[in-house]
Amino acid sequence: MSRMSSESTKHDQPNKPTMFDATLLKHQLNIPSDFIWPDHEKPSANTPELEVPVVDLGGFLSGDPSASARASLLVDEACRKHGFFIVVNHGVDAKLIRDAHRYMDVFFEQPLHEKQRALRKQDEHCGYASSFTGRFSSKLPWKETFTFPYSPSDSSSHIVEKYFCTTLGEHFAHLGKIYQEYCNEMNSVCAGITELLGMSLGVKRKYFKDFFEENESIMRLNYYPQCQRPDQTLGTGPHYDPTSITILHQYDAVSGLQVFVDHQWRSINPNSDAFVVNIGDTFMALTNGIYKSCLHRAVVNSQRSRKSLAFFLCPNKDKVVAPPYELVDADNPRMCPDFRWPELLEFTQKHYRADSNTLPAFSNWITAKHQSRNTTN
């Protein structure tokens, strides 16, 4: 695959994908047109900060009644409005978080041809990605990602380590160990958060915690190189997460996360002591639409690269996604038919770009699919 260094490359070789080679592109004063977004989607210079509630997860898990009541109220208000909140006192070792960010450089600072050994295959969600022309031919995001699977089940206890070794080689085993440990910690944080969400929704406290006990989740390393024209492009375009819950860590002072609330974009500034949590479409379906998935994006800057760690909690592939009976009644009928997570993943990977209408569109798609299957049988 060729590197894209100019517009003439694109036109002379139209069948070759646009490649994102950060070592070249981060210095270009005029970025390739494929990365330039329409005027109405370009980022604005001054974006107000979103006041995201700060939740004391440690206080909740310790059983302190006042801390639990406050945490439950904050989460409920945020998730009914926009689905974003911040957790502190989460119990994850600060050194592990620093190492998880630091070791990203070991991977992303390799030459492009080395990273491409782990290139994500078409219609798959794991691996290295820097070219998105398989799905979109314009409005390309200014970023690189490396995505890998995670599961806490006994049979998958070293799944991250094995993925790094088989995909990148044994000399990356030390990275695999770091991210295996990080994912294990994220799994523990998710257990506390899902317990809190159960309490805030008024269902059994451990309902969602038990539901996700044998999860099959996704971990992603995001790298946003500096860009000489940050006003022309986006690091990640506006999207809704199709997954259940996202745990994001922004380590340094480089901001980039923005959320669309009350008809305008707002920033969520980095806090190295905290995790940003947001609701995805699968959890929105699990709550029968009570808790919201929200539009968000990432912007870039001309001064420094930005990195983030994103853990996406997903159900076990055999789990049926359906809300508890307490959340369904005559005033709140079912918003989605029963489904399994791989079906929604397939829909958003192959048929539909996730947006505010993902769940209604998916409901129609999955209903038609099941009806067709029944007719055939």
Side-chain angles (χ1 to χ4, degrees), residues 30-276:
N30 295 312
I31 64 176
S33 61
D34 286 346
F35 295 93
I36 297 177
W37 287 61
D39 289 344
H40 70 280
E41 293 186 277
K42 290 174 182 175
S44 57
N46 298 308
T47 305
E49 185 177 356
L50 177 65
E51 293 185 9
V52 186
V54 178
V55 177
D56 180 1
L57 189 60
F60 167 73
L61 294 175
S62 70
D64 179 88
S66 60
S68 296
R70 175 168 172 75
S72 177
L73 179 62
L74 288 173
V75 166
D76 187 63
E77 289 179 348
C79 290
R80 288 175 185 270
K81 184 175 183 180
H82 52 62
F84 276 79
F85 58 95
I86 288 173
V87 295
V88 295
N89 296 327
H90 42 70
V92 182
D93 182 68
K95 182 180 183 303
L96 175 61
I97 296 174
R98 287 197 301 271
D99 286 346
H101 279 276
R102 181 165 60 92
Y103 279 107
M104 287 174 66
D105 294 336
V106 175
F107 176 77
F108 286 114
E109 290 182 359
Q110 295 183 102
L112 181 61
H113 70 274
E114 291 289 341
K115 290 179 285 191
Q116 286 182 326
R117 292 188 298 125
L119 195 64
R120 186 172 71 191
K121 295 181 176 65
Q122 188 173 357
D123 296 330
E124 292 188 2
H125 63 277
C126 288
Y128 169 71
S130 69
S131 172
F132 290 75
T133 48
R135 294 182 69 196
F136 316 116
S137 59
S138 62
K139 301 196 304 184
L140 299 186
W142 193 267
K143 70 173 179 179
E144 297 177 89
T145 62
F146 186 55
T147 308
F148 44 93
Y150 170 78
S151 175
S153 66
D154 292 339
S155 61
S156 303
S157 58
H158 298 282
I159 185 172
V160 176
E161 295 178 61
K162 291 178 180 176
Y163 187 84
F164 269 75
C165 289
T166 57
T167 306
L168 299 173
E170 291 293 335
H171 55 293
F172 280 90
H174 61 297
L175 269 71
K177 290 181 180 178
I178 289 291
Y179 292 113
Q180 179 73 59
E181 185 179 355
Y182 185 85
C183 287
N184 289 340
E185 289 297 309
M186 291 301 98
N187 186 60
S188 296
V189 171
C190 284
I193 290 172
T194 51
E195 197 171 340
L196 175 57
L197 289 167
M199 178 180 175
S200 65
L201 277 161
V203 300
K204 292 181 180 179
R205 179 166 164 156
K206 292 189 176 181
Y207 182 91
F208 297 115
K209 180 181 179 180
D210 292 342
F211 181 85
F212 288 103
E213 185 175 9
E214 295 184 353
N215 61 81
E216 295 179 4
S217 296
I218 301 166
M219 179 73 204
R220 178 169 295 157
L221 313 180
N222 295 310
Y223 175 61
Y224 304 93
Q226 64 195 85
C227 176
Q228 300 306 313
R229 297 299 305 274
D231 59 325
Q232 299 293 306
T233 189
L234 289 170
T236 302
H239 68 285
Y240 294 74
D241 292 343
T243 49
S244 296
I245 297 168
T246 304
I247 312 293
L248 182 77
H249 192 272
Q250 309 177 91
Y251 183 69
D252 51 31
V254 183
S255 61
L257 176 62
Q258 296 185 349
V259 184
F260 196 70
V261 178
D262 294 332
H263 309 292
Q264 67 174 322
W265 288 104
R266 294 173 177 265
S267 299
I268 297 181
N269 291 332
N271 179 345
S272 60
D273 296 324
F275 290 106
V276 178

